[in-house]
């Protein structure tokens, strides 16, 4: 019989997690369950680090998620990521164990919605 959260567990054989163990376990679970996903959202809070990595937020009408796109990946972009752009991104879900923060590591990104249509139209004009 399992104990409820309100019951005091006096068992000497508790499986006690450290914060590091918990964060690494959650990171492993996320990687196993969501290895790669496609996600669509609006870019905000774009920042580029000294080494050239991009950090930004993807958001929709209700939620947001932090993202990182490392230099070796963002140099292949055919557009400049900026606040307000709607994008489609291929990413892996990750948890940065040191801070316990959930984020997406973006592998590929392309404009979607109006931005993508505008780019296609401009390409036809040339």
């Amino acid at each position: 019989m399992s104990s409820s959260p309100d019951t005091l567990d006096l068992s000497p054989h508790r499986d006690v997690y450290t914060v590091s163990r918990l964060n690494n376990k959650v990171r492993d679970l996320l990687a196993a369950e969501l290895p790669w996903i496609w996600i669509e959202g609006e870019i905000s809070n774009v920042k580029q680090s000294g080494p050239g990595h991009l950090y930004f937020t993807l958001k929709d009408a209700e939620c947001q998620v932090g993202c990182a796109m490392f230099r070796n990946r963002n140099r292949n972009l055919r557009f400049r990521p900026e606040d307000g752009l709607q994008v489609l991104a291929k990413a892996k879900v990750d948890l940065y164990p040191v801070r316990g923060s959930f984020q997406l590591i973006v592998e590929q990104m392309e404009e979607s919605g109006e931005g993508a249509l505008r780019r296609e139209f401009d390409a036809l004009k040339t």
Side-chain angles (χ1 to χ4, degrees), residues 11-80:
S11 165
H13 303 291
R14 297 181 207 162
D15 187 11
V16 178
Y17 280 69
T18 63
V19 174
S20 297
R21 180 178 171 208
L22 173 65
N23 285 354
N24 285 309
K25 176 74 172 182
V26 170
R27 182 181 196 186
D28 292 345
L29 290 169
L30 286 169
E33 189 65 28
L34 299 166
W36 290 102
I37 63 165
W38 283 95
I39 185 166
E40 186 172 23
E42 179 184 318
I43 293 178
S44 66
N45 302 316
V46 181
K47 294 177 181 69
Q48 187 164 7
S49 71
H53 309 313
L54 289 176
Y55 297 95
F56 55 95
T57 301
L58 276 184
K59 62 183 185 175
D60 62 22
E62 299 175 22
C63 296
Q64 64 182 20
V65 63
C67 301
M69 187 174 197
F70 299 120
R71 180 183 64 196
N72 64 332
R73 293 297 174 195
N74 70 41
R75 70 172 71 145
N76 298 325
L77 291 174
R78 294 186 290 188
F79 67 98
R80 181 184 173 111

